[in-house]
Structure formats: C-alpha cells, structure tokens
Amino acid sequence: MQSKWVLSIAALLVLLLSCPNPLSAKEDNKSSISITYSIKSGDTLYSIAKKYYLTGDYERVARLNGWVPKASLKAGAVLKLKNPLILDHYTVNAGDTLFAITNRYFNRSQYKNALMEYNGISDPNTGLKIGMALIVPIPSGEQRHVVHAGDTLYSLSAKYFKSIDYQQAIARYNEIQETPGAIKAGQVLRIPNPFYVVLEDSPGKEVTIASALPSKPFSIEIDITKNKLYVRSGGKLAKSFDIASGKRKGQTPTGSFEIITKIKNPWYTAKDIPGGDPKNPLGSRWLGLNVPNTQGRTYGIHGTNAPASIGTNASAGCIRMLNKDVEWLYNTVPTGTIVKIHA
C-alpha cells in the first residue's frame, strides 16, 4: 500500500514537472508590432532591411520575418514586416508640424490596433476579459494593466496614449527641436517604432536586429595613424580604444563603411580554427564592414589572441581590439553603424 502511494506521488510530480508554465507560454507568444510594405520595382531584401531595420544583414531580417533570403521580389506583392525599427520615412510637406505628423502615425485608432497586436487580441469587441493582464506598449517601455469592468480598447488608448510622448520620440530620433519651424518642406523624417521589442531568432535564443533603438545614433571613427578607435553617440565622444591595424601602408582600407555582420566567436576559415579556440586570431567577436565585394567577411573589427599587438601595425588589414573592448563594442553598436577609417 505504501509503495503504491509513493508511486502515485512520484507520478504526480512527473506530471507537474512536465506541464508547461502557463505564464511562460504567454510571454513566449507575445506579439510584436507589424506593418505592411508593398514591393516596388528595384526593391531588394537588402534595401528593405536597410530602410526599415537599419541593417545590411538582410538574411537575418528574412529569417525573422519567415522569408526565403534568396527569393526574388515581385513588384506589387505585399510583405509583412515584423517589428521594424523604423515604421516609415516621411517627407515633410509645406505647413506640416511635428504634432500633425505624430497624429498621422500615432492616432487613437492605430494605437488601438497596436495594443491588440501586442497582446494577441483578434476581436476588438470580445477580446477584452475582466481580470486579463494586458501589456501596454509605450515609448518609455511597457506598463501592465489589469482589465476592469467597463474598460474598452479605446478607453485604454485614451488612458495611456499621450501624443506628446510620441512627438518627443520622433524629435529625439531625428535630432530636431520641438519648436515651430524646426522641420522644413522636403526634409525626410524617420518615424521610429516606439513599440520595439526583442525578436526571436530561434527557440530559446533572443536577438535584436539592432542592439537597441538608439535615441542618438552611434558612429565610429578609426585613425590608423594613431591606432585609435573612437565611438560617438549623437556626435559626442562616448569612448575610445587602442587598436592594431594593417602591417603595411594601404593594407587597411580607408573610407566610409558600415557594420553589416556581427558574429560571436567567429571561425577563422584561413586555417580552419573554430571560434572560441585560444589559437583563433579573430578573438571573441567580429563586426564585418561592407568593403566593396567582401560581403562583410573579409575586413572587420575583431578581437585578438595577441593582446601585445594592440597599438601597433600588426594585422593583415583588419582592425584588432582587445577581446573585452570588442565585446563592449559588439554589445553597444548595432549593425548599420557607420565606420569612417582614415590615415
């Protein structure tokens, strides 16, 4: 009898442990914000990734959206863009104001739709249930709201949507003042996605297409004469690092490039040394540059297994950094960041 009781308890424990956590499942299924895009003649996945996700890594953008990276695009077809960093590029017309542009993109109806999609609500009439815990996306992050009797999607949008918050987000992202006359006809404004959330690349692995939606964009300057790398945020110096550059004059390419690939523990294919191996000369991180005809795989900013070489001309053309420094850079700047290299 006692053995049967023990077996019953054991079976119950196995059953409980094998059941998924309902709260975790709810978080895993949380929706992001999507927009539709009509393909135009001449569009490529690369150009769409650059325009809406600020990255040249179109293959990752394709995977995150469920597209085939090598598929050809047909003009007129409609793509659904999952959680883009940029909602639109708006050309200012005569008489436009920031307030008017804000309400064009963040009016009550569209905010209601965002609230529905973010919480996986399909029917605006029956989707709200008393006691339901909603996630409310706002420019500063998220708020939680427990649905009470009488709540509607419209009343919630009125409660949480503040036009001034979204106006400030547009102004801050485009680095303009919130004053009359701050925008001019013909000026192109990027409309940021204030509902930006983390995307999932594969089960159990979260990535972002860009490391964040920066209010002030990053840029990098590399002086190979001094072997220094400077990181700027919004035009102001944020950090500087010692580097190593090409052994010979002209070996490190000069000009303006952008980071289009980011790889943890890169494989050193020249000598078939796996990532993470202490003998790997690329160190712990790789940030590939779009030097013409290289696809971000030939020239880049990377770590090193020879820390004593930093500060000298020692590389085959790439920019070397200490592993701890390149890891900071990898975690801080997104793909799409401009890198200017000069002698």
Side-chain angles (χ1 to χ4, degrees), residues 43 89 94 101 116 119 122 133 141 154 162 206 218 220 222 233 243 248 266 268 284 292 303 315 327 335-336:
D43 274 343
H89 294 71
I101 295 170
M116 289 174 61
N119 288 276
S122 57
Y154 183 85
K162 305 298 180 186
E206 291 186 340
F218 289 101
I220 294 173
I222 297 174
S233 176
I243 61 164
R248 299 187 304 276
Y268 185 52
S284 60
S315 79
E327 287 169 13
T335 50

Side-chain angles (χ1 to χ4, degrees), residues 27-318:
E27 287 296 314
D28 290 343
N29 292 328
K30 185 178 73 174
S31 296
S32 58
I33 305 301
S34 302
I35 63 171
T36 56
Y37 176 75
S38 296
I39 298 172
K40 302 174 181 62
S41 179
D43 274 343
T44 63
L45 284 180
Y46 176 84
S47 67
I48 293 171
K50 284 289 295 176
K51 186 173 183 179
Y52 289 95
Y53 293 95
L54 306 183
T55 176
D57 192 355
Y58 70 92
E59 291 186 348
R60 171 171 284 182
V61 172
R63 290 197 305 272
L64 290 169
N65 281 282
W67 312 330
V68 177
K70 303 299 181 183
S72 58
L73 302 181
K74 295 183 179 179
V78 176
L79 287 178
K80 187 174 183 181
L81 307 183
K82 181 182 179 183
N83 204 36
L85 287 169
I86 302 298
L87 295 180
D88 198 8
H89 294 71
Y90 179 77
T91 302
V92 177
N93 296 308
D96 270 343
T97 64
L98 269 179
F99 180 80
I101 295 170
T102 300
N103 283 293
R104 176 187 179 94
Y105 290 98
F106 304 112
N107 57 50
R108 292 286 162 77
S109 176
Q110 289 173 331
Y111 186 81
K112 180 190 73 174
N113 293 338
L115 187 59
M116 289 174 61
E117 184 171 5
Y118 208 78
N119 288 276
I121 296 172
S122 57
D123 190 327
N125 299 312
T126 62
L128 287 186
K129 307 292 183 183
I130 295 175
M132 175 190 295
L134 293 179
I135 304 170
V136 182
I138 55 178
S140 59
E142 294 179 343
Q143 286 194 14
R144 303 295 170 122
H145 177 89
V146 177
V147 177
H148 303 289
D151 278 344
T152 65
L153 288 168
Y154 183 85
S155 70
L156 292 178
S157 70
K159 176 181 176 67
Y160 290 102
F161 173 84
K162 305 298 180 186
S163 182
I164 189 63
D165 294 336
Y166 298 85
Q167 181 174 312
Q168 288 173 351
I170 294 173
R172 186 171 63 249
Y173 195 78
N174 289 277
E175 296 190 303
I176 55 179
Q177 300 295 317
E178 295 178 73
T179 57
I183 55 175
K184 307 293 183 184
Q187 180 179 356
V188 178
L189 297 179
R190 293 194 298 189
I191 309 301
N193 179 0
F195 313 127
Y196 183 75
V197 293
V198 172
L199 296 171
E200 291 183 4
D201 191 20
S202 59
K205 178 185 176 185
E206 291 186 340
V207 298
T208 53
I209 289 178
S211 62
L213 180 61
S215 58
K216 293 182 179 179
F218 289 101
S219 64
I220 294 173
E221 177 196 352
I222 297 174
D223 186 334
I224 56 178
T225 301
K226 298 179 179 178
N227 278 320
K228 297 288 287 187
L229 181 150
Y230 305 96
V231 181
R232 290 186 170 83
S233 176
K236 295 183 179 180
L237 182 63
K239 210 155 185 177
S240 64
F241 300 96
D242 293 323
I243 61 164
S245 56
K247 294 178 183 177
R248 299 187 304 276
K249 185 177 181 179
Q251 198 169 17
T252 295
T254 56
S256 182
F257 311 107
E258 71 175 73
I259 296 170
I260 60 172
T261 58
K262 293 173 69 176
I263 303 171
K264 287 185 179 181
N265 296 320
W267 196 287
Y268 185 52
T269 55
K271 294 188 177 180
D272 199 29
I273 302 175
D277 191 308
K279 298 178 182 178
N280 191 318
L282 300 181
S284 60
R285 299 291 185 272
W286 170 273
L287 293 88
L289 304 176
N290 68 334
V291 175
N293 304 313
T294 67
Q295 291 77 50
R297 300 182 186 278
T298 304
Y299 295 98
I301 304 168
H302 62 77
T304 184
N305 67 340
S309 68
I310 300 301
T312 70
N313 299 99
S315 79
C318 288

